[in-house]
Amino acid sequence: MNLFRKNKIILMDIDGVIAPISRIDEPFTTVTTPWSTFIIPNKILSFLSEIINKKGFYWSSTWGELSNFINSEFDIRDSQFLTFDDNDSNMWLKEKTLVNFCNKNKKAHILIVDDELPSDSELHTLSNVEIITPDPSFGLTKIECDKIEKWLK
């Protein structure tokens, strides 16, 4: 199934999105990295496996290149990823990088999936950007996964 149409980009966060920050009461997989251990609900892993290998998928996590540890853990090829510089202002850490990325890719339709994106972010004003902000306690829900799949069509 080819979920991606031309000029679509997904920027996917990890903590609070694919890895909920609270205890979950459903089947999950434990991922142990050199710096942390976290859980990913199996339903999110299944959904992720459908979209992660597609052109246009980027990790948008402060983990940067280390985001691909998830890929290697599940025998998935490495994904593109964004890196974030420290921010000297009162701005959200990812703001400058994401705004620049979206402005450089104005012809693309961009979906940002991030639990921490502030309501006053400039990203909300960009015409080529859509945003999904999961509740970090639960991560991606079926409703949000369905929204992503619908957006991809």
Side-chain angles (χ1 to χ4, degrees):
M1 169 173 33
N2 184 7
L3 291 176
F4 276 91
R5 291 192 319 181
K6 194 174 185 176
N7 294 326
K8 292 217 171 183
I9 296 172
I10 289 185
L11 303 177
M12 182 74 67
D13 187 25
I14 295 175
D15 296 312
V17 174
I18 67 163
I21 60 170
S22 66
R23 195 178 93 155
I24 60 170
D25 297 324
E26 60 185 286
F28 61 86
T29 299
T30 301
V31 177
T32 303
T33 67
W35 65 94
S36 181
T37 298
F38 58 96
I39 59 173
I40 301 176
N42 291 346
K43 67 181 182 191
I44 293 177
L45 272 178
S46 176
F47 174 72
L48 200 56
S49 71
E50 293 178 29
I51 66 170
I52 201 167
N53 279 324
K54 307 298 180 189
K55 181 181 177 188
F57 181 92
Y58 287 75
W59 287 119
S60 177
S61 169
T62 54
W63 294 14
E65 185 175 7
L66 296 174
S67 302
N68 278 316
F69 188 90
I70 293 169
N71 300 48
S72 61
E73 187 77 6
F74 300 104
D75 295 323
I76 301 170
R77 72 173 175 81
D78 283 354
S79 299
Q80 299 177 84
F81 58 89
L82 300 180
T83 55
F84 301 95
D85 298 326
D86 287 337
N87 198 336
D88 292 333
S89 70
N90 293 327
M91 204 184 302
W92 175 51
L93 173 68
K94 296 181 183 179
E95 180 86 10
K96 182 178 177 184
T97 299
L98 290 178
V99 168
N100 288 340
F101 180 89
C102 293
N103 283 330
K104 287 179 184 174
N105 292 281
K106 283 187 183 227
K107 292 185 178 180
H109 301 282
I110 300 172
L111 178 64
I112 299 172
V113 185
D114 198 304
D115 63 305
E116 295 181 331
L117 201 143
S119 59
D120 63 348
S121 170
E122 181 182 343
L123 293 161
H124 290 284
T125 68
L126 301 178
S127 62
N128 63 327
V129 173
E130 292 187 47
I131 297 166
I132 294 177
T133 52
D135 180 327
S137 296
F138 305 106
L140 284 175
T141 64
K142 171 137 177 44
I143 292 170
E144 290 157 339
C145 291
D146 289 346
K147 285 180 184 178
I148 293 169
E149 283 186 345
K150 183 178 178 183
W151 180 85
L152 288 168
K153 293 180 181 182

